[in-house]
């Protein structure tokens, strides 16, 4: 079945450590996205990529980095510069619509806790 | 510019009674609108979408929403709640076509009691 796989599902990190969250899709989608979810805050866009080797900052990119070396993969690194990294992280993808709106497909998420 | 406001952070209903989740939006163009559902510790699933066709949109699991331009609203309804409907619901606005970033509401938690 086609879908988006995020790993790990749960991750614990000590302060000052970088951590990388994996996102892989087999939907042949061109665009991929990373969102951060905090209780009562909705989803906020961290980074997105519409094509391999290109990506753009979202609303809250500070303290995060991404790469897009393959169409299927869009890993997110949470760096030690991110001041409040404990959150639920969601990866999504979409295919460029021939008409109408951009519909996202989401992964199951990764929950990061900083100890 | 675009924004979305979900008017209730929590809604409680009894099983078998109607559900109403309210959403107002603001947009400088004719937007596309979505409702997504999220069960605990899961990703988001698309319930339904409005993309300038019929103003009454039917989605999965018996949900529907009506686009009202004059009221800038896109409320989600279901005639009869089921226990499995308990989840968090997000109203989302975006530009009408092409690749575009989405703006999410802060979510409404639906609680269903037996």
């Amino acid at each position: 079945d086609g879908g988006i796989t995020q790993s790990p599902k749960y991750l614990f990190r000590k302060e000052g450590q970088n951590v990388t969250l994996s996102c892989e899709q087999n939907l042949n989608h061109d665009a991929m996205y990373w969102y951060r979810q905090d209780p009562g805050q909705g989803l906020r866009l961290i980074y997105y990529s519409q094509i391999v080797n290109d990506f753009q900052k979202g609303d809250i990119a500070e303290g995060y980095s991404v790469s897009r070396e393959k169409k299927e993969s869009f890993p997110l690194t949470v760096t030690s510069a991110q001041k409040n990294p404990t959150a639920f992280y969601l990866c999504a993808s979409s295919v460029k619509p021939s008409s109408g709106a951009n519909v996202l497909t989401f992964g199951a998420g990764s929950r990061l806790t900083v100890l | 510019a675009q924004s979305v406001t979900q008017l209730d952070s929590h809604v409680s209903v009894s099983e078998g009674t109607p559900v109403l989740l309210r959403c107002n939006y603001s947009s400088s163009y004719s937007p596309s609108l979505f409702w997504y559902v999220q069960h605990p510790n899961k990703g988001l699933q698309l319930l339904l979408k409005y993309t300038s066709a019929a103003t009454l949109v039917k989605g999965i699991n018996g949900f529907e929403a009506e686009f009202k331009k004059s009221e800038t609203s896109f409320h989600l309804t279901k005639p009869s709640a089921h226990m499995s409907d308990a989840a968090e619901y997000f109203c989302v606005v975006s530009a009408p076509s092409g690749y575009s970033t989405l703006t999410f509401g802060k979510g409404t938690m639906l609680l269903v009691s037996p």
Side-chain angles (χ1 to χ4, degrees), chain B residues 66-97:
Chain B
E66 186 172 8
F67 174 72
K68 292 187 176 180
K69 186 175 181 179
S70 60
E71 299 176 10
T72 61
S73 69
F74 190 58
H75 301 335
L76 181 70
T77 61
K78 183 174 180 178
S80 176
H82 191 273
M83 295 296 291
S84 61
D85 295 327
E88 191 161 23
Y89 292 79
F90 293 94
C91 183
V92 183
V93 62
S94 82
S97 62

Side-chain angles (χ1 to χ4, degrees), chain A residues 78-112:
Chain A
V78 184
T79 76
S80 56
Q82 169 50 233
K83 297 188 185 309
N84 186 19
T86 294
F88 191 54
Y89 291 89
L90 286 158
C91 179
S93 69
S94 69
V95 61
K96 184 173 184 178
S98 56
S99 63
N102 190 22
V103 178
L104 270 59
T105 300
F106 283 86
S110 293
R111 185 168 296 281
L112 173 63

